[in-house]
Amino acid sequence: MTAETLAHLMKQSNRTVVLTGAGMSTESGIPDFRSSTGLWRNINPRIVASTESLQKNYEQFREFYQTRMNSLNNCKPHEGHLILADFEKRGLVSLIATQNVDQLHQQAGSKNVAELHGNIVTIRCQKCGKPHAKEQFLNNSICTYCSGKLRPNVVLFGETLPSEAWDRTLHEIHQADLVIVIGTSLEVYPVNQLPSMSKGKLVYINREQTSTSLHYSFDLVLEGSAGKILADVYQELGDFEK
Ligand code: APR
């Protein structure tokens, strides 16, 4: 059961959805959350990444996201992101539904991307919702229009997912005959429900099996680094396109 098997499944599939998590970005230098070196090993997400933190300890909330936003300046898409964008161009992937907030899929050239957890690249006022420049959040400004608190367009713990991204993903998942899950522990609801909503074949690419992933009956599990496995699949596919 190898990259060759996945390449074969992709050739057979008419609609393939890719679901990515933080493990898709670690090779670009962005830490994930729950592996041994993950962000949540040292930080309690409720204190820095929840609606409660936005309301009750805004300075800590703002500092956490300023740090994460600044660290993105040194990160760029890795080979795995570029390969997924190429697969989209060749009609091999119809949608990337991502939990990641770094927009590396878009930077790599993927056009059809659903940001299920929003992003930390764009900013809005928490009170009036008006968009603001990233620099205004980074230099501790308040809302130009209502003096409200500025915040990134990321989905915080306690917030609902953006309906457009969720609905688009649901639509594609229901039509998909192949769902490739890459670099996610599948610990977070409701995204972790998506694989079981598909009638198609399920593939899991992850550095390790997680307590949650073992609950799914994946048709194929490829343990290893996302970048390396995607490069192997790319090799197996040659110049095949739909
Ligand atoms: N290749 C393959 N898998 C990897 C790689 C890699 N290079 N690096 C890390 N992984 C795996 C880890 O072993 C882990 O199982 O990716 C998984 C990432 O899981 P999490 O850290 O839980 O990240 P994710 O599943 O995306 O978290 C979901 O939780 O905190 C919230 O909103 C945040 O979107 C995030 C959500």
Side-chain angles (χ1 to χ4, degrees):
M1 298 295 246
T2 61
E4 187 184 352
T5 313
L6 178 48
H8 177 68
L9 290 174
M10 289 178 72
K11 286 179 182 172
Q12 281 188 317
S13 166
N14 291 316
R15 287 179 89 83
T16 297
V17 171
V18 173
L19 171 62
T20 63
M24 186 68 215
S25 294
T26 53
E27 291 164 76
S28 290
I30 301 174
D32 63 17
F33 298 98
R34 294 174 187 80
S35 72
S36 51
T37 53
L39 264 183
W40 300 152
R41 291 283 166 207
N42 309 312
I43 307 170
N44 177 349
R46 304 225 78 78
I47 296 176
V48 291
S50 65
T51 45
E52 199 183 338
S53 60
L54 173 56
Q55 281 143 24
K56 295 189 180 138
N57 45 347
Y58 182 63
E59 280 62 37
Q60 232 177 327
F61 165 92
R62 185 169 57 188
E63 195 183 327
F64 174 69
Y65 280 106
Q66 287 172 338
T67 307
R68 286 185 71 193
M69 287 166 71
N70 286 325
S71 67
L72 285 188
N73 295 335
N74 315 316
C75 301
K76 58 183 181 39
H78 62 75
E79 188 186 16
H81 292 105
L82 299 170
I83 287 171
L84 289 176
D86 181 63
F87 284 169
E88 179 187 82
K89 281 192 197 82
R90 293 158 60 181
L92 290 164
V93 165
S94 59
L95 173 76
I96 294 182
T98 188
Q99 300 170 93
N100 298 338
V101 295
D102 51 39
Q103 297 200 332
L104 290 183
H105 285 303
Q106 295 94 319
Q107 280 183 43
S110 291
K111 300 276 178 282
N112 215 356
V113 180
E115 294 184 327
L116 295 170
H117 289 168
N119 66 71
I120 58 170
V121 175
T122 57
I123 303 296
R124 72 173 188 269
C125 169
Q126 174 64 8
K127 202 164 157 194
C128 69
K130 285 202 172 61
H132 283 67
K134 196 166 71 166
E135 291 64 34
Q136 288 177 287
F137 179 75
L138 291 172
N139 63 26
N140 297 345
S141 302
I142 55 172
C143 176
T144 319
Y145 308 91
C146 74
S147 308
K149 291 174 181 171
L150 300 184
R151 43 90 40 102
N153 283 317
V154 63
V155 177
L156 302 175
F157 285 102
E159 290 184 320
T160 50
L161 274 59
S163 50
E164 186 279 332
W166 180 252
D167 294 345
R168 183 151 59 107
T169 301
L170 275 191
H171 175 75
E172 287 291 335
I173 281 272
H174 289 139
Q175 313 235 346
D177 33 38
L178 175 62
V179 177
I180 307 171
V181 181
I182 308 177
T184 173
S185 62
L186 290 170
E187 300 245 349
V188 174
Y189 182 88
V191 172
N192 62 2
Q193 305 300 298
L194 288 171
S196 41
M197 291 178 180
S198 166
K199 295 184 293 297
K201 292 229 182 280
L202 292 182
V203 176
Y204 189 56
I205 299 175
N206 209 58
R207 211 158 44 192
E208 65 213 335
Q209 285 268 34
T210 68
S211 52
T212 323
S213 68
L214 287 167
H215 294 162
Y216 292 84
S217 48
F218 286 105
D219 297 284
L220 176 65
V221 175
L222 295 169
E223 280 195 43
S225 97
K228 169 78 176 67
I229 290 170
L230 285 168
D232 292 346
V233 175
Y234 184 84
Q235 204 64 38
E236 290 296 334
L237 282 165
D239 55 4
F240 180 89
E241 57 183 82
K242 285 279 176 198

